[in-house]
Amino acid sequence: MKKWLSPALLIATFALSAVAHYTHWNAIAQFVICAISVVFVAGFLGRATESVAHYAGQRLGGFLNATFGNAAELIIAIFLVKEGLYDMVKASLTGSIIGNLLLVLGASLFAGGLKYKVQNFNISLAGLSGSLMIVAVIALFVPAVFLNTHVITDSESDTLSLIVAGTLIVAYIAWLIFSMITHKDYLADVTEQKDEELPHEHAPVWSRNKSIAYLVLATVMVAFVSEWLVGTLEVFTTQFGLSELFVGAFLVAIIGNAAEHSAAILLAMKNKIGASVEIAVGSSLQIALFVAPVLIFVSYFMGNTMNIVFTTIELVAIAVAVFIAKSITQDGSTNWYEGLMLLVVYVLLGVSFFLV
């Protein structure tokens, strides 16, 4: 029964969201159904990615987890760019970064810490990832300062945004080469295997070819349901009097991060805290260094460049999340109270964004 329940819910919610969209149901009903469908589709995407990662190896597997874990957010953001909702795009990027660093990482440390008193992971990986996030904060901070102080014009800001975006993509590619090729062993996970784990515990359910096919199918499903969800956001935001900042930074980000939430928490509870940290921090890095810059170029090719200038509130939220996450992970060990501290900061930011 349990084996067939999840696929049945996946198919049912996806089909229902399609019916709601094409038969023009009430926008609020469409939003709720599509949001639920995104969660199930993102979970399916996460399982397919995990299965493919098993065959690809640990480092490449981690990269695939981060990449396809962010697929839902990227696709949603592309449709938002297409609709010209740039403020919501930037808010969703902000929400993805702080959501991964505070909610996903915090929940993982808390859940893992309740089962294991102290959990350890590669301190070098934590340090380098934290430093890269600081670079990303600087890259987002510089254009905002120069534009808001009127040192440069809007046109020059677009040019600066494209240059910053290109530089960040190069930095991300260099990080992949560093972490997956030249210093692969240096950044390897230090988590010990526990005797209680069975040899077949992490064996994939699907074959390699089936895993790849499901990965492609899940990505296509995410693309469709994301477009349907985006079509309802404007009405939903207006009807409930919510700001684009809150909807983008929290609702869209939480829905898009559904797969990563569950994967990271489950890994932490199996004492695989290194993998959890890599999912949360690695995903934030990919959003800041790759997804955001790619969206800048996507908007440019669509004919109306979205600048990389974030609001002061968004920059402060990202900087706060990076600061506390780096402070907590830099010693290479974690416990449940450190996870609770991250969750507390996330709640504080969430309340503040809601009241904006």
Side-chain angles (χ1 to χ4, degrees):
M1 181 68 181
K2 185 178 179 181
K3 179 181 178 181
W4 295 103
L5 182 60
S6 183
L9 289 173
L10 169 68
I11 295 169
T13 55
F14 181 79
L16 190 59
S17 61
V19 171
H21 174 75
Y22 290 112
T23 57
H24 308 290
W25 287 14
N26 175 275
I28 305 304
Q30 285 189 53
F31 174 84
V32 173
I33 294 168
C34 288
I36 294 171
S37 182
V38 167
V39 172
F40 281 105
V41 174
F44 176 43
L45 182 65
R47 289 194 298 274
T49 304
E50 187 178 354
S51 186
V52 171
H54 174 84
Y55 296 104
Q58 183 180 347
R59 298 304 303 175
L60 182 56
F63 169 69
L64 288 173
N65 266 304
T67 301
F68 284 94
N70 285 327
E73 296 153 87
L74 175 60
I75 294 169
I76 291 173
I78 288 174
F79 284 115
L80 289 172
V81 168
K82 184 180 177 182
E83 295 294 323
L85 300 172
Y86 294 161
D87 289 342
M88 194 174 289
V89 172
K90 293 175 187 177
S92 69
L93 294 173
T94 300
S96 294
I97 294 172
I98 65 177
N100 280 301
L101 290 179
L102 300 178
L103 179 60
V104 178
L105 183 59
S108 299
L109 301 190
F110 183 77
L114 290 178
K115 188 172 182 181
Y116 302 96
K117 192 171 184 179
V118 176
Q119 294 181 294
N120 299 303
F121 56 95
N122 192 305
I123 190 171
S124 300
L125 178 62
L128 284 167
S129 298
S131 298
L132 260 179
M133 285 305 303
I134 291 176
V135 169
V137 171
I138 293 171
L140 298 177
F141 180 77
V142 169
V145 170
F146 277 78
L147 181 66
N148 292 332
T149 54
H150 307 291
V151 175
I152 58 176
T153 64
D154 289 343
S155 176
E156 291 171 334
S157 175
D158 291 343
T159 302
L160 178 60
S161 296
L162 290 169
I163 294 172
V164 170
T167 304
L168 289 178
I169 290 174
V170 171
Y172 184 68
I173 293 172
W175 166 246
L176 293 180
I177 294 171
F178 178 85
S179 63
M180 294 172 61
I181 300 175
T182 64
H183 288 69
K184 179 180 178 180
D185 295 334
Y186 176 62
L187 300 178
D189 190 6
V190 299
T191 305
E192 295 180 355
Q193 298 286 339
K194 295 296 178 183
D195 294 334
E196 65 202 44
E197 293 182 331
L198 301 174
H200 61 276
E201 181 180 359
H202 301 293
V205 177
W206 305 315
S207 66
R208 183 178 60 182
N209 291 339
K210 186 177 286 189
S211 299
I212 294 171
Y214 283 163
L215 187 60
V216 173
L217 175 62
T219 304
V220 171
M221 292 175 73
V222 166
F224 274 104
V225 78
S226 297
E227 183 178 12
W228 302 334
L229 179 68
V230 167
T232 67
L233 283 177
E234 200 163 354
V235 175
F236 180 84
T237 302
T238 303
Q239 187 155 337
F240 286 92
L242 300 173
S243 67
E244 287 189 357
L245 186 63
F246 177 76
V247 172
F250 285 84
L251 293 185
V252 173
I254 289 174
I255 292 168
N257 274 329
E260 289 161 304
H261 292 172
S262 57
I265 293 170
L266 288 173
L267 284 167
M269 293 177 70
K270 293 176 180 177
N271 204 25
K272 305 288 184 183
I273 195 64
S276 295
V277 171
E278 191 164 348
I279 288 174
V281 178
S283 184
S284 293
L285 280 174
Q286 191 171 74
I287 290 291
L289 300 179
F290 184 74
V291 173
V294 163
L295 291 172
I296 301 297
F297 283 106
V298 167
S299 66
Y300 171 75
F301 289 116
M302 286 183 176
N304 188 16
T305 305
M306 176 183 75
N307 63 44
I308 204 168
V309 178
F310 284 65
T311 66
T312 302
I313 294 173
E314 291 165 340
L315 289 173
V316 168
I318 293 172
V320 166
V322 170
F323 173 75
I324 186 65
K326 180 172 173 59
S327 298
I328 283 177
T329 59
Q330 66 184 358
D331 62 351
S333 65
T334 63
N335 53 67
W336 69 265
Y337 191 71
E338 290 180 331
L340 181 63
M341 286 192 286
L342 291 175
L343 293 174
V344 166
V345 175
Y346 187 73
V347 171
L348 292 175
L349 288 175
V351 173
S352 301
F353 273 56
F354 179 77
L355 296 175
V356 171

